[in-house]
């Protein structure tokens, strides 16, 4: 597949959004332009589009060993997370709190607050892995559903899903997970989660489609009313173009997952070895992590100028979660992991992906070395 990136840009922010697979999007757009019919209509043209959506739903059900009717397409990862938490409110109308990791995307905490749940946070440390003993103590004291993402969007740390699942089942509780970063980046053990979410733009399918897997096909689970789309779970005309892109890109990513991750693991080692020699500190270096993610503390104070310098050289990295990076707030995940605010404000994230090349990595490291020396 041809990269959509130009030679002027070296892109290292895949965890924010994956560059689109141009050929897939162009093919799907051509199909949409010739078959733009509303999938909720009654003509054979509309029914054909509805059939495409159902085939895609079936594809994801087979991929995850899930039930087709429990998959709901929405527009964004945030919306998908809100639907997931809405299902908790329906199932537990009188519940006041949920056990949650301190490492979630901000949309998950907002969804919990919107539906009246207090987040009881699980302890963690520099490893970025939740404390399983603390989780069990919280379940023992007050059994409640657990929400814990599978892979951190900032650190890339992978949580012990099997152990969490065993604990939640021991106390007869649901286990929900945000799989936005894990999906198509590592082998995800879908069988351990009662509900989860993932999104198309995180894997190169472009914006506009995300999925929620609900714990059961209950018609009361819905964010919007006014239509019976998505088996009555989400009123609103489906984005057939984005949904088709989502499926086709997922097929490529899963087919090439092992080969891609071998390449990205080699890049990760190269990046971290060089940056440590320059005085950088790798966050959660010895924890299980995604092979595409490096979160590090720079040995300089002028992080904003460093980022500007990198951008002037056509190299794009980030300070962490894209939903918070503009505000330049200290990462809450890092603070909960035990790092100081001063350390957290010196952090940047480097995330690679399908189109990353060895030349890109060498350019990244050469320019990072120059700028670190300059600002020291």
């Amino acid at each position: 597949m041809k990269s959509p990136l130009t030679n002027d840009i070296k892109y290292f922010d895949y965890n924010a959004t994956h560059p689109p697979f141009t050929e897939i999007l162009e093919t799907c757009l051509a199909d949409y332009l010739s078959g733009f019919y509303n999938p909720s209509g009654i003509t054979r043209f509309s029914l054909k589009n509805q059939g495409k959506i159902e085939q895609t739903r079936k594809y994801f059900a087979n991929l995850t060993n899930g039930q087709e009717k429990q998959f709901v397409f929405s527009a964004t990862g945030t919306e998908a997370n809100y639907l997931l938490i809405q299902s908790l409110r329906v199932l537990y109308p009188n519940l006041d709190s949920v056990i949650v990791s301190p490492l979630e995307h901000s949309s998950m905490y907002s969804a919990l607050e919107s539906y009246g749940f207090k987040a009881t946070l699980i302890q963690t440390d520099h490893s970025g892995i939740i404390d399983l003993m603390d989780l069990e103590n919280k379940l023992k004291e007050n059994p409640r559903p657990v929400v814990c993402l599978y892979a951190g969007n900032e650190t890339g740390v992978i949580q012990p899903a099997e152990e969490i699942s065993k604990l939640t089942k021991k106390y007869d509780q649901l286990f929900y997970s945000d799989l936005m970063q894990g999906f198509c980046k590592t082998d995800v053990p879908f069988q351990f989660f009662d509900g989860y979410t993932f999104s198309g733009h995180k894997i190169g399918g472009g914006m506009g489609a995300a999925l929620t897997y609900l714990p059961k096909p209950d018609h009361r689970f819905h964010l919007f009313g006014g239509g019976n789309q998505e088996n009555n779970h989400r009123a609103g005309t489906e984005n057939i173009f984005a949904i088709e892109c989502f499926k086709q890109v997922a097929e490529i990513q899963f087919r090439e997952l092992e080969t891609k991750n071998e390449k990205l693991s080699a890049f990760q080692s190269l990046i971290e070895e060089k940056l440590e020699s320059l005085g950088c500190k790798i966050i959660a270096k010895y924890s299980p992590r995604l092979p595409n993610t490096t979160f590090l503390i720079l040995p300089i104070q002028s992080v904003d100028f460093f980022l500007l310098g990198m951008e002037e050289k056509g190299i794009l990295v980030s300070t962490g979660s894209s939903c918070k990076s503009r505000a330049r707030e200290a990462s809450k995940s890092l603070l909960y992991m035990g790092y100081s605010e001063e350390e957290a404000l010196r952090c940047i994230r480097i995330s690679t992906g399908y189109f990353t090349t060895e030349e890109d990595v060498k350019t990244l490291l050469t320019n990072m070395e120059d700028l670190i020396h300059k600002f020291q």
Side-chain angles (χ1 to χ4, degrees):
M1 281 287 170
K2 183 180 177 182
S3 172
L5 301 168
T6 67
N7 290 330
D8 298 330
I9 296 293
K10 304 298 183 186
Y11 186 72
F12 291 93
D13 201 12
Y14 277 76
N15 285 10
T17 195
H18 193 299
F21 283 69
T22 307
E23 296 159 61
I24 298 297
L25 268 67
E26 287 177 346
T27 299
C28 291
L29 178 60
D31 288 344
Y32 173 69
L33 292 174
S34 62
F36 54 84
Y37 310 99
N38 190 320
S40 297
I42 61 172
T43 70
R44 68 178 186 273
F45 305 104
S46 293
L47 292 174
K48 182 179 179 181
N49 280 343
Q50 185 61 50
K52 287 182 179 179
I53 294 172
E54 296 312 317
Q55 283 301 310
T56 301
R57 201 186 317 277
K58 183 176 182 179
Y59 165 75
F60 284 115
N62 290 336
L63 185 70
T64 62
N65 284 322
Q67 300 298 313
E68 288 181 47
K69 289 187 179 295
Q70 290 166 230
F71 281 100
V72 180
F73 287 105
S74 57
T76 67
T78 294
E79 185 186 329
N81 282 342
Y82 266 71
L83 177 58
L84 189 66
I85 299 306
Q86 190 267 352
S87 71
L88 272 187
R89 178 46 72 206
V90 170
L91 291 171
Y92 304 99
N94 299 316
L95 187 65
D96 63 353
S97 66
V98 177
I99 301 172
V100 187
S101 91
L103 311 165
E104 302 298 315
H105 187 273
S106 57
S107 67
M108 190 65 80
Y109 299 121
S110 293
L112 288 164
E113 183 179 359
S114 293
Y115 287 103
F117 293 114
K118 177 184 175 183
T120 300
L121 299 181
I122 310 164
Q123 293 177 10
T124 185
D125 55 23
H126 273 40
S127 71
I129 299 171
I130 65 162
D131 185 328
L132 291 171
M133 187 176 296
D134 182 58
L135 171 59
E136 179 157 25
N137 287 339
K138 286 178 167 56
L139 282 167
K140 187 184 299 183
E141 180 183 343
N142 182 6
R144 290 157 289 171
V146 172
V147 176
C148 181
L149 82 181
Y150 184 58
N153 66 84
E154 293 178 327
T155 63
V157 171
I158 296 171
Q159 299 298 327
E162 183 173 5
E163 288 81 358
I164 298 170
S165 177
K166 287 178 180 177
L167 286 175
T168 55
K169 296 302 164 285
K170 178 179 178 180
Y171 293 93
D172 195 27
Q173 297 300 314
L174 293 175
F175 175 23
Y176 281 1
S177 189
D178 174 339
L179 305 182
M180 300 290 172
Q181 293 298 338
F183 185 72
C184 285
K185 292 181 183 177
T186 188
D187 292 322
V188 176
F190 298 100
Q191 70 272 21
F192 296 131
F193 309 111
D194 298 297
Y196 50 80
T197 56
F198 49 86
S199 176
H201 85 93
K202 295 294 188 183
I203 66 171
M207 316 295 186
L211 269 173
T212 303
Y213 185 70
L214 296 167
K216 61 181 181 178
D218 190 321
H219 71 275
R220 295 174 299 166
F221 302 155
H222 63 83
L223 291 181
F224 312 122
N228 60 4
Q229 292 92 345
E230 290 301 292
N231 296 310
N232 291 303
H233 293 303
R234 183 189 187 270
T237 304
E238 298 96 337
N239 188 336
I240 53 174
F241 164 67
I243 290 171
E244 183 62 23
C245 291
F246 196 177
K247 175 194 173 195
Q248 291 193 28
V249 168
E251 289 173 334
I252 295 170
Q253 290 277 22
F254 271 98
R255 186 169 63 242
E256 302 184 28
L257 182 62
E258 184 176 352
T259 302
K260 179 189 72 173
N261 282 351
E262 287 177 2
K263 177 185 76 169
L264 299 185
S265 291
F267 290 164
Q268 186 181 56
S269 296
L270 185 64
I271 289 168
E272 295 182 0
E273 182 178 349
K274 178 62 177 179
L275 294 182
E276 282 187 310
S277 75
L278 296 172
C280 299
K281 181 175 182 179
I282 309 302
I283 302 295
K285 180 180 179 180
Y286 299 106
S287 298
R289 286 183 293 147
L290 297 174
N292 83 311
T293 304
T294 294
F295 201 35
L296 61 104
I297 302 175
L298 288 169
I300 57 176
Q301 298 296 330
S302 308
V303 176
D304 290 332
F305 289 111
F306 174 87
L307 292 172
L308 286 172
M310 292 290 282
E311 188 170 339
E312 285 178 1
K313 295 174 183 292
I315 302 169
L316 304 185
V317 295
S318 74
T319 56
S321 174
S322 58
C323 294
K324 291 290 186 182
S325 57
R326 287 182 187 171
R328 287 294 286 121
E329 298 175 0
S331 163
K332 287 185 170 58
S333 295
L334 281 179
L335 298 179
Y336 281 116
M337 287 169 64
Y339 290 93
S340 69
E341 184 172 356
E342 186 273 337
E343 289 174 313
L345 288 171
R346 288 193 284 122
C347 279
I348 65 168
R349 181 185 65 191
I350 298 168
S351 50
T352 58
Y354 188 93
F355 299 114
T356 306
T357 66
E358 186 175 355
E359 178 189 350
D360 293 336
V361 173
K362 289 179 178 178
T363 301
L364 167 79
L365 295 177
T366 297
N367 284 280
M368 284 190 70
E369 182 174 15
D370 289 345
L371 286 171
I372 287 172
H373 287 324
K374 177 180 178 180
F375 289 117
Q376 280 177 329

